[in-house]
Amino acid sequence: MRQAVIWFFLCCKRYLKRLSFLLILLFFPIAAGLFARSEKADQKGVVIGVFSEDSDEGSLGMELARKLEAYGDGMFSFCLYDSDEELTDAVAARQVECGYVIGEGLKEKMDSGDYRRLIRVYRAPSTIADEMSKEVVYSLLAGLYDREILTEYIGESQVFDYLDQEGERKEGQKRGGELYDAYASDGSTFHFEYEKTNVPWTEENGETSREKETLFPARGLAAVFVFTAGIYGGASLKRDEKNGLFLRLPFGKRELCRIASLAAPAGLAALSGLAAIGVAGIFVSWRRELLGMFLYVIGTAVYARILSRILPTSRGVSCLLPFFIIGSLIFCPVLIDVGQFAPQARAAGWIFLPWYYLKMF
C-alpha cells in the first residue's frame, strides 16, 4: 500500500509537468470564481430610483421611500435620491431603469380623495420596468396607508366609544398599529411560497436550509471533469503498460500501482473541482465534501480500470471520452435534469458516475 501511495504522488507530479493539463486544472476554479462574481453583481436586479418630496421622516411619503429602499426580492432594488433633478439625470443616463417621485403631502391628498399626481414616474423609452414595478410600489403604499386607516378608525369610530378616556383611545390606536404590523409581517394571514426543487440542502447554525442556487453548475461540471480525468488516466495507463512501466514491480503490487496511476489525474481534477465548488459558494461542509469526493475518485478509478481491461488499446479508451463527456452532460443533472421531462432518460444516467456523485448532494 505504501508503494501505491508513493506511485500515486509520483504520477501526480508527472501530470503536473504537462502544461495543458495544469492550465485546465487552474482554469476551472478561475472560471467558477468569475461566474460567481458576475452573479453577485447581478443580485441587485433592476435598479429603480425613488425621491420623496416630503423630507419629514414621519411623513407617509418618506416612510414609503424608506420601505422601498429596504425592499429586495432579487428582481428589483430601489435607491433613494436627494432631488428630482438627480433622479431625472439618473434615468436619462440609464443608471436606473425608471424613477418614482413621491409627491408632497401624500397622506393629506389620499385622505381628501385627491389621487392626481400622487406619484410621478420617469422612464427610459426602451424600458418596461415601470410597468413591472408599479405593483411593488403601490402594494407597499397600500400596506402603509391601511395602517393609518386602522389607527384613525380606532381613534374616531363610535365602535370604540367605550374607550371613554383620551389616554385609552390613544393606547388603543397604538395597540391596533402594533397588531397590524405583526399580522402583516408574520405571514399568519396569507402568503405565497415559491420553492425551487433539485437544490441541495445544507445546515447553517443547526438549521436546515436550501443551498444557494447559482447559474454556474460548478458541482455538476466538477463531477464530469473528475470522471473525464479518470477515463483519461485509463488511456494513459494502457500506454504505460505497453511501454512496460509496471514490469519491474512485484506481481502482488502491480494492480494497486496501476489503480494509483490512473487515479492520479482524477485526484488532481478533484482538487480543482473542490476549489471551484468553494469559489462558487455552494460548499456544504468540509467533511461531507471531502468524503464524497474521495469516494467518487475511488469509484472513478475502479470504473476506468475496468474499462481499460475491457478495451485492448489506449486509443480505444480515448475514443470513448467524447461519449462519456456528452452523455454525462445530457443524462446527469449537470446543466438540466432530463429525468424531469423524460423519466426513461434517468435510467441512462446510471452508467455515468457523475449521476451518483450528484445524488449525494
Side-chain angles (χ1 to χ4, degrees):
M1 179 60 73
R2 181 174 176 272
Q3 191 167 0
V5 173
I6 295 174
W7 198 274
F8 172 81
F9 284 106
L10 289 176
C11 290
C12 287
K13 184 178 179 180
R14 182 180 68 167
Y15 281 107
L16 289 175
K17 290 182 178 179
R18 300 179 183 179
L19 181 60
S20 59
F21 190 76
L22 180 60
L23 290 176
I24 293 174
L25 292 177
L26 296 175
F27 173 76
F28 187 33
I30 292 173
L34 293 175
F35 271 94
R37 184 176 179 180
S38 65
E39 287 179 22
K40 289 180 180 178
D42 292 338
Q43 281 181 354
K44 287 187 176 181
V46 179
V47 182
I48 298 171
V50 179
F51 167 65
S52 174
E53 293 180 346
D54 281 328
S55 58
D56 185 7
E57 287 292 337
S59 64
L60 181 61
M62 185 54 72
E63 285 186 14
L64 175 60
R66 296 298 182 193
K67 196 83 171 178
L68 288 170
E69 184 183 28
Y71 177 85
D73 67 343
M75 185 174 183
F76 298 112
S77 64
F78 297 85
C79 60
L80 298 186
Y81 285 85
D82 296 327
S83 66
D84 194 330
E85 291 76 15
E86 286 186 13
L87 179 57
T88 54
D89 291 343
V91 174
R94 296 305 297 268
Q95 296 174 0
V96 294
E97 288 294 313
C98 63
Y100 289 90
V101 177
I102 303 170
E104 188 176 1
L106 179 62
K107 183 179 183 303
E108 291 75 13
K109 289 181 179 180
M110 294 187 71
D111 290 340
S112 62
D114 182 11
Y115 303 116
R116 294 174 298 175
R117 297 178 63 82
L118 285 178
I119 299 177
R120 304 190 303 276
V121 182
Y122 297 121
R123 59 183 295 272
S126 60
T127 188
I128 59 171
D130 59 319
E131 296 295 334
M132 299 171 63
S133 60
K134 278 180 181 178
E135 184 176 346
V136 175
V137 176
Y138 289 112
S139 65
L140 292 179
L141 174 59
L144 291 171
Y145 189 63
D146 286 349
R147 187 184 191 280
E148 298 287 338
I149 294 175
L150 174 62
T151 55
E152 288 184 4
Y153 179 76
I154 296 173
E156 300 174 1
S157 175
Q158 295 179 356
V159 176
F160 295 94
D161 282 347
Y162 65 90
L163 301 174
D164 51 358
Q165 298 182 11
E166 185 67 20
E168 291 181 355
R169 180 79 73 157
K170 289 183 178 179
E171 183 64 29
Q173 288 179 296
K174 180 182 178 182
R175 181 59 178 162
E178 292 173 351
L179 289 174
Y180 179 88
D181 292 336
Y183 286 114
S185 60
D186 66 0
S188 59
T189 49
F190 67 89
H191 67 282
F192 297 96
E193 197 171 282
Y194 300 91
E195 182 175 313
K196 294 181 179 179
T197 58
N198 294 325
V199 180
W201 291 96
T202 61
E203 289 187 3
E204 296 178 359
N205 300 323
E207 297 182 359
T208 305
S209 62
R210 288 278 186 181
E211 182 183 308
K212 186 182 77 172
E213 185 191 27
T214 59
L215 296 177
F216 183 71
R219 191 181 300 282
L221 292 179
V224 177
F225 183 32
V226 174
F227 186 48
T228 304
I231 304 300
Y232 170 71
S236 298
L237 175 64
K238 297 296 292 185
R239 288 195 296 268
D240 292 339
E241 288 179 333
K242 184 179 179 180
N243 294 331
L245 184 63
F246 301 95
L247 292 179
R248 293 182 178 274
L249 293 174
F251 181 79
K253 297 180 180 180
R254 288 180 187 177
E255 189 60 29
L256 282 177
C257 290
R258 288 189 180 102
I259 295 178
S261 176
L262 61 84
L268 293 173
L271 294 177
S272 177
L274 287 174
I277 292 171
V279 169
I282 57 174
F283 216 81
V284 176
S285 67
W286 280 104
R287 182 169 57 183
R288 186 171 179 182
E289 294 285 358
L290 290 176
L291 179 61
M293 188 62 79
F294 175 76
L295 294 176
Y296 181 53
V297 170
I298 296 298
T300 299
V302 174
Y303 191 98
R305 179 56 182 153
I306 294 173
L307 195 64
S308 66
R309 295 292 295 270
I310 296 174
L311 298 175
T313 63
S314 171
R315 182 173 298 179
V317 178
S318 299
C319 287
L320 286 178
L321 276 174
F323 166 76
F324 283 113
I325 294 173
I326 297 173
S328 297
L329 293 175
I330 294 176
F331 295 106
C332 301
V334 176
L335 303 174
I336 188 172
D337 191 356
V338 181
Q340 290 183 341
F341 311 101
Q344 61 273 17
R346 195 182 301 274
W350 294 350
I351 66 173
F352 302 102
L353 284 185
W355 190 91
Y356 296 95
Y357 173 73
L358 293 171
K359 289 303 177 183
M360 280 194 261
F361 298 90

